[in-house]
């Protein structure tokens, strides 16, 4: 049974741990540490379920009473997502966004029927997979609705089809990352999608939010892996994708990808898969500066010579190694100062060897220094652990949060500069702003920022102001408001900056066509 | 000044030529040859321009009188596209689809203003670039409209911006293929988009129809090259694309790509570009069967080891070598029988050498036989010439037309079989059905069919029936109704098979949002 996450923290409670003493000492050197440990969150009250009895009865009729959960514990575990504001609200005892019921459909037809009930009774529906949204994607507007249903899709967790000739597989939306890999591994296949949320997030969520994983350099973004979709909407079912590519008008797959539960419930996703790599080799390269490392990434991307994993920490992140609290403050294995790049190759022994030789030659030629496999091993071992560290820091009264963007290469440095400056100016001393590049393309790359700052009297207000300042800076330099975290409610104020007023009108027009009653994830993506 | 094509034939009249005697002799062996040479098409009457004077006056006000053409010759040259049905209608003296006026805007703002005039007066607007549509994409419905304007975009032919760091370039929609390459070559860059229509078709058309070129294996489809778009619609301007990738909701670029002039007029396209290759090496490989060659293509695609050009003719096309009429019936250079594959490598000398070595090893290992560079040279020399051959065949009373689809690898052979059978059954003896694969992906490939048959008493009806049979077969085997030629009017009856009734409703909803009066290319794409 997969872990259901508490609204106050990430992941498996058994894997949470206090910071090592040395690390805690270092944190105390930088930040004013206070005890913000939260107690048993089962003690926190959540609003009473207010779903009308007749609706509950109809839901029973579709999925059976055992799959309609209105108890406090079930609703608590599906309250909001996992942004720092989400955690801060829950830590402060605010679970006011709890759904009125959790409904667990087992099939596409059940989802379709549930949408019919919700539409008739004007009940808001929040599609819910791993619950890992960090953009407010799981908080429905309540005004004007008879209640809010969390549509928990985790029962829909089958591998529906494998086509080893076409190298495609069809998965239900509730299959989580590790389960997808396990199911595909039985056929010698991999999806190759490893976002930080991998251990909890689901296939449907990857599709609905345009997720991108840590191996995107080699395997591509999730939206680029999708060859077909089945979507249940209040207006009916949409089935898309007959071929690897088509010129039959607009690509509607790219309309439902990124639709964030506001256009429908994705009930099946056909993805391109690859052969399970026989070999994985992750190693570290040291660069004298962030700019030098970025230039090397650009060279690889524009030479169509990308490894499977390519990630570059800036000077601050390299020095801190935030993902490895046991080594914070240590000098690391490589030369001191400068920037660490993780270069990972996956494939057959032959392809790994050939690709590694070619990539290494380029990196060495551009001034990089190989620092061996130890940094790669350490990165791989801790690649999904950063959210646990965030919880530990929140327990010490240190606000930790991330945000991300992407820009064309020619504007990447200016984007980095203005966003860093905006975050520092907003958060003041002694805030830390770290950054890495983890997704590269021929024309540009992503920037992923992590901040740490004393939470102060109003941590939520403090972060909201910093996020606003950073996003204004992003918009000002013509970068994207989100590279791989979706719009949700948190980025909605800037959607018009991204796609224009008419673009927003187009999204609304589609919304009205597929969800005329406006019951799907109201308030998310399209106002 | 680029060639303006006559409605009865392809391209530059100076390049048209009768078939060599030997070839003509061969055609006569197979088909009943009759003289269908058409005369001077300036003699064919076209309908009188019926655009109201007040509309013409307003158009003058925007672009100036010299850019509003209502004379017969200008309108004749922009009547319909270049499908065989289009040519047959024109050859039969039917130019009833001629626009009432040709308007030539010089800027985005002029396009925007022209759309305002058209919307106010309910005048249909057909965006027009190279005029090479083969799916009826340039024929507007007339009922209920005050007239039809051809919006000729060829004055908008500038390279607006080059970003050599991000490797992007922004082009106006009226830049034709050769001109795009020439403009980019000044910066040492290439777009790498070479569809058969290359010499005439335009950037705006490539985007609006999701074109795919002969070098798609190495450079990708046109829709995959686009990083940004500016679109003028009756409801206002849409500007899209701030970054190489984004998770900010649905990807609206993929809604306007493939919108076929029905959602707006594309006025600027930002594309990913590559370094101009220093070396191009095209060579032939012989395969004992089509299946063996297809399997080799699949292996390369799924090994992420694609050359720049990869094309495989089936046994019939290999034997006939239709694109090289001077050699029709010759045994060719390689082993007799079997299938010819063209493998082209482009890049630096080093990358061509490395890629060629790796690709050749795979091909030889799978049973392919290298037949040297001569077939590659011949293919490259004639790669844009097939439409001229079609004209020569039409002059002999032989109906020649093409159609294309794409399918996942596991269904490629069955798609090939059912479409071939449908075409043969519909056209009867002595029809010829040839096929090649020219676009490959990890999950599948395209199939491009060419047919030749006696035109009979009703060539248009004959082809319409064959096309219907082939498309029904395509739909029946769950392949796509078009891989790179768009929907137009010709594929519209099957759009619902492709995207479902609700998918069509979504397209209509978008149409209504951007073109509430329905003036843009009415009848194309969305009914």
């Amino acid at each position: 049974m997969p872990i259901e996450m508490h609204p106050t923290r990430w992941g498996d409670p058994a894997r949470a741990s206090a910071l090592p003493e040395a690390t805690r000492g270092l944190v105390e050197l930088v930040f004013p540490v206070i005890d913000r440990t939260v107690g048993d969150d089962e003690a926190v009250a959540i609003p009473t379920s207010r779903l009308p009895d007749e609706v509950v009865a109809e839901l029973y009729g579709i999925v059976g009473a055992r799959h309609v959960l209105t108890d406090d514990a079930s609703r608590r575990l599906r309250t909001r997502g996992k942004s720092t504001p989400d955690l801060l609200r829950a830590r402060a005892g605010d679970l006011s966004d709890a759904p009125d019921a959790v409904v667990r459909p087992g099939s596409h037809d059940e989802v379709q029927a549930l949408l019919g009930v919700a539409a008739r009774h004007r009940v808001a529906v929040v599609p819910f997979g791993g619950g890992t949204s960090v953009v407010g994607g799981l908080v429905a507007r309540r005004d004007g609705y008879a209640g809010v249903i969390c549509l928990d899709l985790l029962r829909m967790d089958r591998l529906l089809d494998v086509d080893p000739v076409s190298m495609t597989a069809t998965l239900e939306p509730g299959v989580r990352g590790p389960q997808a890999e396990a199911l595909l591994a039985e056929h010698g296949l991999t999806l190759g999608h490893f976002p930080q949320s991998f251990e909890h997030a689901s296939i449907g969520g990857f599709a609905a939010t345009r997720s991108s994983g840590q191996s995107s350099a080699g395997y591509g973004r999730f939206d680029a892996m999708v060859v077909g979709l089945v979507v249940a909407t209040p207006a009916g079912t949409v089935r898309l994708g007959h071929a690897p590519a088509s010129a039959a008008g607009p690509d509607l797959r790219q309309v439902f990808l990124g639709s964030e539960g506001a256009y429908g419930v994705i009930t099946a996703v056909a993805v391109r898969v690859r052969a399970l790599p026989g070999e994985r080799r992750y190693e570290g390269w040291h660069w004298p500066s962030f700019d030098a490392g970025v230039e090397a990434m650009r060279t690889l991307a524009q030479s169509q010579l990308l490894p499977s994993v390519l990630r570059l920490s800036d000077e601050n992140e390299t020095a801190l190694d935030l993902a490895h609290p046991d080594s914070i403050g240590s000098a690391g294995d490589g030369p001191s100062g400068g920037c660490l790049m993780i270069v990972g190759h996956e494939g057959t022994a032959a392809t790994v060897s050939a690709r590694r030789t070619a990539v290494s030659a380029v990196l060495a030629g551009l001034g990089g220094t190989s620092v061996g496999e130890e940094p790669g091993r350490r990165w791989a071992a801790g690649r999904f652990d950063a959210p646990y560290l965030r919880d530990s820091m929140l327990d010490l009264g240190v606000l930790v949060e991330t945000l991300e963007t992407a820009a064309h290469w020619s504007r990447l440095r200016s984007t980095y500069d203005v966003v860093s400056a905006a975050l520092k100016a907003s958060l003041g001393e002694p805030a830390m702003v770290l950054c890495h590049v983890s997704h590269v393309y021929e024309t540009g790359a992503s920037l992923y920022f992590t901040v740490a700052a004393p939470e102060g009297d109003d941590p939520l207000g403090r972060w909201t102001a910093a996020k606003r300042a950073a996003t204004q800076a992003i918009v000002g330099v013509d970068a994207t408001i989100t590279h791989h975290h979706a719009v949700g409610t948190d980025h909605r104020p800037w959607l018009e900056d991204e796609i224009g007023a008419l673009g927003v009108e187009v999204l609304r027009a589609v919304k009205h066509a597929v969800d005329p009653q406006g019951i799907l994830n109201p308030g998310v993506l399209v106002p």
Side-chain angles (χ1 to χ4, degrees), chain A residues 5 54 66 92 243 254 257 280 340 374 396 443 447 449 456 461:
Chain A
M5 292 191 280
E54 56 172 342
R66 60 191 283 254
Q254 298 293 332
L257 290 166
R280 291 189 172 87
L340 177 67
E374 180 54 24
L396 296 177
T443 59
L447 291 170
F449 293 89

Side-chain angles (χ1 to χ4, degrees), chain A residues 198-288:
Chain A
F198 169 75
E199 294 175 329
H200 299 276
S202 65
I203 292 293
F206 296 150
T209 62
R210 296 186 175 275
S211 172
S212 191
Q214 294 166 357
S215 307
S216 63
Y219 294 91
R221 298 167 59 81
F222 194 79
D223 53 22
M225 297 177 184
V226 173
V227 296
L229 284 173
V230 181
V231 188
T233 84
T237 296
V238 186
R239 290 173 202 277
L240 299 167
H242 302 272
S246 172
D251 187 350
L252 289 182
R253 293 175 302 189
Q254 298 293 332
V255 170
F256 288 96
L257 290 166
S259 62
E260 305 186 16
Y263 286 175
V265 180
I266 295 166
T267 58
V269 184
V271 287
R272 175 257 290 153
V273 293
R274 298 247 174 101
L276 199 59
E279 190 163 319
R280 291 189 172 87
R281 187 158 179 171
Y282 306 137
E283 43 199 13
W285 283 77
H286 178 266
W287 295 91

Side-chain angles (χ1 to χ4, degrees), chain A residues 37 77 110 112 139 169 184 249 298 348 362 442 450 456 472 501 514:
Chain A
T37 316
L77 292 173
E110 287 185 6
Q112 197 66 72
V139 182
L184 292 169
R298 182 171 80 90
T348 63
V362 170
E442 286 185 59
T450 302
Q472 288 297 140
V514 294

